[in-house]
């Protein structure tokens, strides 16, 4: 009877260890997929940051082009209308205010672009932290599963009422 009990206890332990190994492999596959997802998310956020920088530069270029066209149009219109724009303080202030408005617009576009880039960079940092947290959780879960399975194996052996002195005699 003792040998049957020992065989059942050993079988129970082997099945538990096999189940633990299967579960660990499944957890590893899930973690690998999670890491791939986070790496893709990080790459997307990096592309967002690069896109924000590109968009900012394009907007600045468009605003400068617009200001240049408006300056030429205003100058042409005022010149063809017979106005003396070279010596006129009011026209000088008018053109200076246009330049000032352009500079302010460019500064605002740059600030918004930098803000968008920073938001994307913060997203990259958060994704990196998520990767680290996921790896840590996987390792902890795997170790906890191993500890639990080994503890259960000892519990199985302890509760099996096996006469270890006469087991192999």
């Amino acid at each position: 009877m003792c040998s049957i009990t020992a065989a059942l206890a050993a079988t129970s332990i082997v099945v538990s260890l096999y189940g633990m190994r299967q579960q660990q492999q499944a957890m590893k596959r899930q973690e690998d997929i999670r890491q791939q997802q986070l790496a893709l998310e990080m790459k997307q956020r990096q592309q967002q940051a690069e896109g924000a920088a590109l968009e900012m530069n394009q907007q600045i270029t468009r605003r400068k082009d617009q200001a240049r066209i408006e300056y030429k149009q205003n100058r042409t219109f005022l010149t063809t209308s017979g106005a003396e724009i070279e010596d006129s303080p009011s026209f000088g202030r008018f053109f200076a205010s246009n330049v000032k408005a352009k500079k302010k617009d460019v500064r605002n576009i740059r600030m918004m672009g930098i803000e968008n880039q920073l938001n994307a960079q913060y997203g990259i940092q958060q994704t990196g932290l998520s990767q680290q947290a996921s790896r840590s959780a996987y390792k902890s879960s795997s170790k906890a599963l191993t500890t639990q399975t080994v503890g259960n194996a000892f519990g199985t052996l302890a509760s099996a009422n096996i006469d270890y002195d006469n087991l192999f005699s």
Side-chain angles (χ1 to χ4, degrees):
M1 178 92 172
C2 187
S3 63
I4 291 174
T5 304
L8 289 175
T11 302
S12 175
I13 291 170
V14 168
V15 168
S16 293
L17 291 173
Y18 178 77
M20 174 198 70
R21 184 67 186 135
Q22 291 299 103
Q23 190 172 356
Q24 283 178 328
Q25 288 174 344
M27 289 167 53
K28 175 73 170 125
R29 284 189 296 274
Q30 287 175 334
E31 177 59 17
D32 289 344
I33 290 169
R34 177 72 177 140
Q35 289 298 317
Q36 288 173 356
Q37 289 171 332
L38 290 170
L40 179 60
E41 182 180 333
M42 188 175 284
K43 185 176 181 177
Q44 289 171 336
R45 290 182 185 268
Q46 182 62 39
Q47 289 172 343
Q48 281 178 331
E50 292 168 2
L54 181 61
E55 177 65 24
M56 175 189 68
N57 289 331
Q58 288 173 341
Q59 286 180 356
I60 289 172
T61 301
R62 280 194 299 269
R63 180 59 183 106
K64 286 179 178 180
D65 289 345
Q66 177 189 4
R68 196 172 11 264
I69 290 168
E70 288 174 356
Y71 176 81
K72 286 179 183 178
Q73 287 175 343
N74 288 334
R75 192 158 180 79
T76 302
F77 175 75
L78 291 172
T79 302
T80 57
S81 70
E84 288 292 326
I85 59 173
E86 297 299 327
D87 297 328
S88 172
S90 61
F91 287 128
R93 285 191 297 276
F94 170 73
F95 287 120
S97 70
N98 287 346
V99 170
K100 187 176 179 180
K102 177 200 72 164
K103 287 181 179 181
K104 183 179 178 183
D105 289 348
V106 167
R107 186 174 47 251
N108 288 339
I109 291 168
R110 187 168 282 124
M111 286 186 341
M112 288 186 298
I114 289 170
E115 180 181 358
N116 290 338
Q117 290 175 46
L118 286 174
N119 286 337
Q121 291 294 334
Y122 292 143
I124 291 169
Q125 290 175 342
Q126 289 298 322
T127 303
L129 291 174
S130 293
Q131 280 183 314
Q132 292 173 359
S134 181
R135 271 193 294 270
S136 178
Y138 161 72
K139 288 178 182 178
S140 294
S141 295
S142 182
K143 288 177 183 177
L145 179 62
T146 300
T147 303
Q148 178 186 6
T149 303
V150 169
N152 288 344
F154 282 120
T156 299
L157 289 173
S159 65
N161 292 327
I162 299 173
D163 184 9
Y164 294 103
D165 292 334
N166 294 323
L167 182 64
F168 298 108
S169 337

